[in-house]
Amino acid sequence: MEIVSVVASAYGGPEVLSTIRTTLDPPAPDQILIEVRAAGTNPVDVKLYSGSYGQDPAALPLPLGFEASGIVKEVGGELEGPCGPISVGDEVIAFRVSGAYATGLLATASAVLAKPASMSFEEASGLMLAGVTAMHTLKATATHSGDTLLVHGASGGVGLMAVQLAVADGVRVIGTANSSQHDLLRQLGVEPVVYGDGLLERVRELAPAGIDAAIDLVGSDEATDVSRVLVPDPARVATIVSTERSRALGVQALGGGPGADPGAAIREAARLELLRRVQDGSLRVIVDASYPLSEVATAHRELAQGHAHGKIVLVP
Ligand SMILES: NC(=O)c1ccc[n+]([C@@H]2O[C@H](COP(=O)([O-])OP(=O)(O)OC[C@H]3O[C@@H](n4cnc5c(N)ncnc54)[C@H](OP(=O)(O)O)[C@@H]3O)[C@@H](O)[C@H]2O)c1
């Protein structure tokens, strides 16, 4: 199948991104060919070609994108994914895959899940990476019904998932965000608070009885310091953006990077739980912006600012 895909042809800023024409082999017996309808972008995609994870020339041109939604075009054999048998014509989510920024991709059955009918392709393309990460933060901090949870970066891709999951579980959620996002957070059941100078006092005022657990989705010194002061049990503070300071203060790191807990089993199991929650109406994906695949560099300039309010998606 002829496809168009995005690659980084060098390490650098979004200007290194371009679209190329290429051919996909027919699916192997354990593979599924998917026509991509939308691809979810994530900050890690920017980090990969920015050089912050190293600059291996042999990895170029670098394919991008770990998640997509689309329609099954061809199946290599009789295949079953985590949601059951996979057939031509199925609307699916592919995660975790490589090269999702494309008009088509090949995935193994274990990475192909049924797209809930209630979701658009754009929404579905942004569900998994942020969603499994959010679920991991809540499990790692043992957050449960009745807790008061502080979420730093509540209005970002991961933040919007984490707050919805926690609120649905009966957790009181205080979330830091720019004031422009406070109305949306209130609608989701969150008590919003502006980040920046005086955060510690503002949170104390909102929760005089204390904070049980905190998750840092930003990686700022402020998030680390405020969390460590307010949460009595250090094991109930976690970050997905580990820094020298968070490591020095004993904050548990989740995901990739040195000393971080990858949480592979939790994240794998979380995929079906996310689908269940979308189906029961307690979880939705908020799409901040949608760009054609050909405008990937513009999409990434926005993503790289670090102020997205929901998912930025690419549509072939
Ligand atoms: N370890 C892992 O497994 C893992 C997985 C996914 C993501 N991540 C990382 O986690 C980070 C967040 O990812 P994401 O997908 O949620 O990013 P995103 O969608 O770009 O959201 C970032 C959010 O952070 C907010 N923000 C920026 N500065 C802030 C500050 N000082 N205090 C509080 N909030 C602030 C922004 O909101 P405002 O406009 O309101 O400032 C924005 O909504 C990224 O660095 C990403 O690479 C790690």
Side-chain angles (χ1 to χ4, degrees), residues 43-44 47 129 133 152-153 155-159 176-178 181 195 217-218 220 222 240-241 254-256 267 303 306-311:
V44 65
K47 292 175 188 178
L129 195 147
T133 306
H152 298 277
S155 62
V158 180
T176 75
N178 186 301
Q181 301 307 302
Y195 57 82
L217 315 177
V218 179
S220 64
E222 172 186 75
I240 60 167
V241 190
L254 308 177
R267 291 179 184 227
L303 181 66
H307 292 287
H309 298 132
K311 299 303 299 179

CSV table of all heavy atoms in Angstrom, one decimal, residues 43-44 47 129 133 152-153 155-159 176-178 181 195 217-218 220 222 240-241 254-256 267 303 306-311, ligand 1:
chain,number,residue,atom,x,y,z
A,43,PRO,N,4.0,15.1,23.6
A,43,PRO,CA,5.3,15.8,23.8
A,43,PRO,C,6.5,14.9,23.6
A,43,PRO,O,7.6,15.4,23.1
A,43,PRO,CB,5.3,16.3,25.3
A,43,PRO,CG,3.8,16.5,25.5
A,43,PRO,CD,3.1,15.4,24.8
A,44,VAL,N,6.4,13.6,23.9
A,44,VAL,CA,7.6,12.7,23.7
A,44,VAL,C,8.0,12.7,22.2
A,44,VAL,O,9.2,12.5,21.9
A,44,VAL,CB,7.3,11.3,24.2
A,44,VAL,CG1,6.2,10.6,23.4
A,44,VAL,CG2,8.5,10.4,24.2
A,47,LYS,N,10.4,15.4,21.8
A,47,LYS,CA,11.6,15.1,22.5
A,47,LYS,C,12.5,14.2,21.7
A,47,LYS,O,13.7,14.3,21.7
A,47,LYS,CB,11.3,14.6,23.9
A,47,LYS,CG,10.7,15.6,24.9
A,47,LYS,CD,10.3,15.0,26.2
A,47,LYS,CE,9.5,16.0,27.0
A,47,LYS,NZ,9.0,15.6,28.3
A,129,LEU,N,-2.1,7.1,25.0
A,129,LEU,CA,-0.9,7.3,25.6
A,129,LEU,C,-1.1,8.2,26.9
A,129,LEU,O,-0.6,7.9,28.0
A,129,LEU,CB,0.1,8.0,24.7
A,129,LEU,CG,1.6,8.0,25.2
A,129,LEU,CD1,2.6,7.9,24.0
A,129,LEU,CD2,1.9,9.2,26.0
A,133,THR,N,-0.9,6.7,31.0
A,133,THR,CA,0.0,7.4,31.8
A,133,THR,C,-0.7,7.9,33.1
A,133,THR,O,-0.3,7.8,34.2
A,133,THR,CB,0.7,8.6,31.1
A,133,THR,OG1,1.3,8.1,29.9
A,133,THR,CG2,1.7,9.3,31.9
A,152,HIS,N,-0.7,18.6,39.4
A,152,HIS,CA,0.0,19.8,38.8
A,152,HIS,C,-0.1,19.6,37.2
A,152,HIS,O,0.4,18.6,36.7
A,152,HIS,CB,1.5,19.8,39.2
A,152,HIS,CG,1.7,19.9,40.7
A,152,HIS,ND1,1.7,21.2,41.3
A,152,HIS,CD2,1.8,19.0,41.7
A,152,HIS,CE1,1.9,21.0,42.6
A,152,HIS,NE2,2.0,19.7,42.8
A,153,GLY,N,-0.6,20.6,36.6
A,153,GLY,CA,-0.8,20.5,35.1
A,153,GLY,C,-2.1,19.8,34.7
A,153,GLY,O,-2.1,18.9,33.8
A,155,SER,N,-4.6,20.7,33.1
A,155,SER,CA,-5.3,21.0,31.9
A,155,SER,C,-4.6,20.5,30.6
A,155,SER,O,-5.0,20.8,29.5
A,155,SER,CB,-5.5,22.6,31.7
A,155,SER,OG,-4.3,23.2,31.7
A,156,GLY,N,-3.5,19.8,30.8
A,156,GLY,CA,-2.8,19.2,29.7
A,156,GLY,C,-3.4,17.9,29.2
A,156,GLY,O,-4.4,17.4,29.8
A,157,GLY,N,-2.8,17.3,28.3
A,157,GLY,CA,-3.3,16.0,27.7
A,157,GLY,C,-3.4,14.9,28.8
A,157,GLY,O,-4.4,14.3,29.0
A,158,VAL,N,-2.3,14.7,29.6
A,158,VAL,CA,-2.4,13.7,30.7
A,158,VAL,C,-3.3,14.2,31.8
A,158,VAL,O,-4.0,13.5,32.4
A,158,VAL,CB,-1.0,13.4,31.2
A,158,VAL,CG1,-1.0,12.4,32.3
A,158,VAL,CG2,-0.1,12.9,30.1
A,159,GLY,N,-3.2,15.5,32.1
A,159,GLY,CA,-3.9,16.1,33.2
A,159,GLY,C,-5.4,15.9,33.1
A,159,GLY,O,-6.1,15.5,34.0
A,176,THR,N,-3.9,22.3,39.3
A,176,THR,CA,-3.3,23.6,38.9
A,176,THR,C,-3.4,23.8,37.4
A,176,THR,O,-3.2,22.9,36.6
A,176,THR,CB,-1.8,23.7,39.3
A,176,THR,OG1,-1.0,22.9,38.4
A,176,THR,CG2,-1.5,23.2,40.7
A,177,ALA,N,-3.7,25.0,37.0
A,177,ALA,CA,-3.8,25.4,35.6
A,177,ALA,C,-3.9,26.9,35.4
A,177,ALA,O,-4.3,27.6,36.4
A,177,ALA,CB,-5.1,24.8,35.0
A,178,ASN,N,-3.6,27.3,34.2
A,178,ASN,CA,-3.8,28.7,33.8
A,178,ASN,C,-5.3,29.1,34.0
A,178,ASN,O,-6.2,28.2,33.8
A,178,ASN,CB,-3.5,28.7,32.3
A,178,ASN,CG,-3.5,30.1,31.7
A,178,ASN,OD1,-4.5,30.7,31.7
A,178,ASN,ND2,-2.3,30.4,31.2
A,181,GLN,N,-8.4,28.0,31.9
A,181,GLN,CA,-8.9,26.7,31.8
A,181,GLN,C,-9.8,26.3,33.1
A,181,GLN,O,-10.2,25.2,33.2
A,181,GLN,CB,-7.7,25.7,31.7
A,181,GLN,CG,-6.9,25.9,30.5
A,181,GLN,CD,-7.7,25.9,29.3
A,181,GLN,OE1,-8.5,24.9,29.0
A,181,GLN,NE2,-7.7,27.0,28.5
A,195,TYR,N,-1.3,28.2,39.1
A,195,TYR,CA,0.1,27.8,39.5
A,195,TYR,C,0.9,29.1,39.6
A,195,TYR,O,0.5,30.1,39.2
A,195,TYR,CB,0.7,26.7,38.6
A,195,TYR,CG,0.8,27.0,37.2
A,195,TYR,CD1,1.8,27.8,36.6
A,195,TYR,CD2,-0.2,26.5,36.3
A,195,TYR,CE1,1.9,28.0,35.3
A,195,TYR,CE2,-0.1,26.7,34.9
A,195,TYR,CZ,0.9,27.5,34.4
A,195,TYR,OH,1.0,27.8,33.1
A,217,LEU,N,2.7,16.5,36.6
A,217,LEU,CA,2.6,16.3,35.1
A,217,LEU,C,3.4,17.4,34.4
A,217,LEU,O,3.1,17.5,33.2
A,217,LEU,CB,1.2,16.1,34.7
A,217,LEU,CG,0.3,15.3,35.6
A,217,LEU,CD1,-1.2,15.3,35.1
A,217,LEU,CD2,0.8,13.9,35.7
A,218,VAL,N,4.2,18.1,35.1
A,218,VAL,CA,4.8,19.3,34.5
A,218,VAL,C,6.4,19.3,34.6
A,218,VAL,O,7.1,19.6,33.7
A,218,VAL,CB,4.3,20.6,35.3
A,218,VAL,CG1,5.0,21.8,34.7
A,218,VAL,CG2,2.8,20.7,35.2
A,220,SER,N,8.1,21.0,37.2
A,220,SER,CA,8.6,22.2,37.7
A,220,SER,C,9.1,22.0,39.1
A,220,SER,O,8.6,21.1,39.8
A,220,SER,CB,7.5,23.3,37.7
A,220,SER,OG,6.4,22.9,38.5
A,222,GLU,N,8.4,24.0,41.4
A,222,GLU,CA,7.3,24.4,42.3
A,222,GLU,C,6.4,23.1,42.5
A,222,GLU,O,6.0,22.9,43.7
A,222,GLU,CB,6.4,25.4,41.5
A,222,GLU,CG,5.1,25.7,42.2
A,222,GLU,CD,4.3,26.6,41.3
A,222,GLU,OE1,3.7,26.2,40.3
A,222,GLU,OE2,4.2,27.8,41.7
A,240,ILE,N,5.8,12.4,36.3
A,240,ILE,CA,6.0,11.8,35.0
A,240,ILE,C,7.1,12.6,34.2
A,240,ILE,O,7.4,12.3,33.1
A,240,ILE,CB,4.8,11.7,34.1
A,240,ILE,CG1,4.1,13.0,33.8
A,240,ILE,CG2,3.8,10.7,34.8
A,240,ILE,CD1,3.0,13.0,32.7
A,241,VAL,N,7.6,13.7,34.9
A,241,VAL,CA,8.7,14.5,34.3
A,241,VAL,C,9.8,14.6,35.3
A,241,VAL,O,9.9,15.6,36.0
A,241,VAL,CB,8.2,15.9,33.8
A,241,VAL,CG1,9.3,16.5,33.0
A,241,VAL,CG2,6.9,15.8,33.0
A,254,LEU,N,7.9,8.0,37.1
A,254,LEU,CA,7.1,7.0,36.3
A,254,LEU,C,7.3,7.2,34.8
A,254,LEU,O,7.5,8.3,34.3
A,254,LEU,CB,5.6,7.2,36.6
A,254,LEU,CG,5.2,7.2,38.1
A,254,LEU,CD1,3.7,7.5,38.2
A,254,LEU,CD2,5.5,5.9,38.8
A,255,GLY,N,7.3,6.1,34.1
A,255,GLY,CA,7.5,6.1,32.6
A,255,GLY,C,8.9,5.8,32.2
A,255,GLY,O,9.5,4.8,32.7
A,256,GLY,N,9.5,6.6,31.3
A,256,GLY,CA,10.9,6.4,30.9
A,256,GLY,C,11.9,7.1,31.7
A,256,GLY,O,11.6,7.8,32.6
A,267,ARG,N,0.1,-0.2,32.7
A,267,ARG,CA,-0.3,0.5,31.5
A,267,ARG,C,-1.0,-0.4,30.5
A,267,ARG,O,-1.9,0.1,29.8
A,267,ARG,CB,0.9,1.2,30.9
A,267,ARG,CG,1.4,2.3,31.8
A,267,ARG,CD,2.7,3.0,31.2
A,267,ARG,NE,3.2,4.0,32.2
A,267,ARG,CZ,3.6,5.3,31.8
A,267,ARG,NH1,3.5,5.7,30.6
A,267,ARG,NH2,4.0,6.1,32.7
A,303,LEU,N,2.6,22.2,20.0
A,303,LEU,CA,2.8,21.1,21.0
A,303,LEU,C,4.1,21.5,21.9
A,303,LEU,O,4.1,21.3,23.1
A,303,LEU,CB,3.0,19.8,20.3
A,303,LEU,CG,3.2,18.5,21.1
A,303,LEU,CD1,2.0,18.2,21.9
A,303,LEU,CD2,3.6,17.4,20.2
A,306,GLY,N,4.3,23.6,25.2
A,306,GLY,CA,3.9,23.0,26.5
A,306,GLY,C,2.7,23.6,27.1
A,306,GLY,O,2.5,23.6,28.3
A,307,HIS,N,1.8,24.2,26.3
A,307,HIS,CA,0.6,24.8,26.8
A,307,HIS,C,-0.7,24.3,26.1
A,307,HIS,O,-1.7,25.0,26.0
A,307,HIS,CB,0.7,26.3,26.8
A,307,HIS,CG,1.7,26.9,27.7
A,307,HIS,ND1,1.6,26.9,29.1
A,307,HIS,CD2,3.0,27.3,27.5
A,307,HIS,CE1,2.7,27.4,29.7
A,307,HIS,NE2,3.5,27.7,28.7
A,308,ALA,N,-0.6,23.1,25.6
A,308,ALA,CA,-1.8,22.5,25.0
A,308,ALA,C,-2.9,22.3,26.1
A,308,ALA,O,-2.5,22.0,27.2
A,308,ALA,CB,-1.5,21.2,24.3
A,309,HIS,N,-4.1,22.4,25.7
A,309,HIS,CA,-5.2,22.2,26.6
A,309,HIS,C,-6.1,21.0,26.1
A,309,HIS,O,-7.2,21.3,25.6
A,309,HIS,CB,-6.0,23.5,26.9
A,309,HIS,CG,-5.2,24.5,27.5
A,309,HIS,ND1,-5.2,25.8,27.0
A,309,HIS,CD2,-4.3,24.5,28.5
A,309,HIS,CE1,-4.3,26.5,27.7
A,309,HIS,NE2,-3.8,25.7,28.6
A,310,GLY,N,-5.5,19.9,26.1
A,310,GLY,CA,-6.1,18.7,25.5
A,310,GLY,C,-5.2,18.2,24.4
A,310,GLY,O,-4.0,18.6,24.4
A,311,LYS,N,-5.7,17.3,23.6
A,311,LYS,CA,-4.9,16.6,22.6
A,311,LYS,C,-4.8,17.4,21.3
A,311,LYS,O,-5.7,18.0,20.8
A,311,LYS,CB,-5.4,15.2,22.3
A,311,LYS,CG,-5.5,14.3,23.4
A,311,LYS,CD,-4.2,14.1,24.1
A,311,LYS,CE,-3.1,13.5,23.2
A,311,LYS,NZ,-1.8,13.3,24.0
B,1,LIG,N1,6.7,9.7,31.9
B,1,LIG,C1,5.7,9.4,31.1
B,1,LIG,O1,5.3,8.2,31.0
B,1,LIG,C2,5.0,10.5,30.3
B,1,LIG,C3,3.9,10.2,29.6
B,1,LIG,C4,3.2,11.2,28.9
B,1,LIG,C5,3.7,12.5,29.0
B,1,LIG,N2,4.9,12.7,29.7
B,1,LIG,C6,5.4,14.1,29.9
B,1,LIG,O2,4.5,14.8,30.7
B,1,LIG,C7,4.4,16.2,30.3
B,1,LIG,C8,3.0,16.5,30.1
B,1,LIG,O3,2.5,15.8,29.0
B,1,LIG,P1,1.1,16.2,28.3
B,1,LIG,O4,0.9,15.3,27.2
B,1,LIG,O5,0.1,16.4,29.4
B,1,LIG,O6,1.5,17.7,27.8
B,1,LIG,P2,0.6,18.8,27.2
B,1,LIG,O7,-0.7,18.3,26.7
B,1,LIG,O8,1.5,19.7,26.4
B,1,LIG,O9,0.2,19.7,28.5
B,1,LIG,C9,1.1,20.4,29.3
B,1,LIG,C10,0.2,21.3,30.2
B,1,LIG,O10,1.0,21.8,31.3
B,1,LIG,C11,0.5,23.0,31.7
B,1,LIG,N3,1.6,23.8,32.3
B,1,LIG,C12,2.7,24.3,31.7
B,1,LIG,N4,3.5,24.9,32.6
B,1,LIG,C13,2.9,24.6,33.8
B,1,LIG,C14,3.3,24.9,35.2
B,1,LIG,N5,4.4,25.6,35.5
B,1,LIG,N6,2.4,24.5,36.2
B,1,LIG,C15,1.3,23.8,35.9
B,1,LIG,N7,0.9,23.5,34.6
B,1,LIG,C16,1.7,23.9,33.6
B,1,LIG,C17,0.0,23.6,30.5
B,1,LIG,O11,-1.2,24.4,30.8
B,1,LIG,P3,-1.2,26.0,30.8
B,1,LIG,O12,-1.4,26.5,29.5
B,1,LIG,O13,-2.4,26.2,31.7
B,1,LIG,O14,0.1,26.5,31.4
B,1,LIG,C18,-0.5,22.4,29.6
B,1,LIG,O15,-1.9,22.3,29.7
B,1,LIG,C19,5.3,16.3,29.1
B,1,LIG,O16,6.6,16.7,29.5
B,1,LIG,C20,5.4,14.9,28.6
B,1,LIG,O17,6.6,14.6,27.9
B,1,LIG,C21,5.5,11.8,30.4
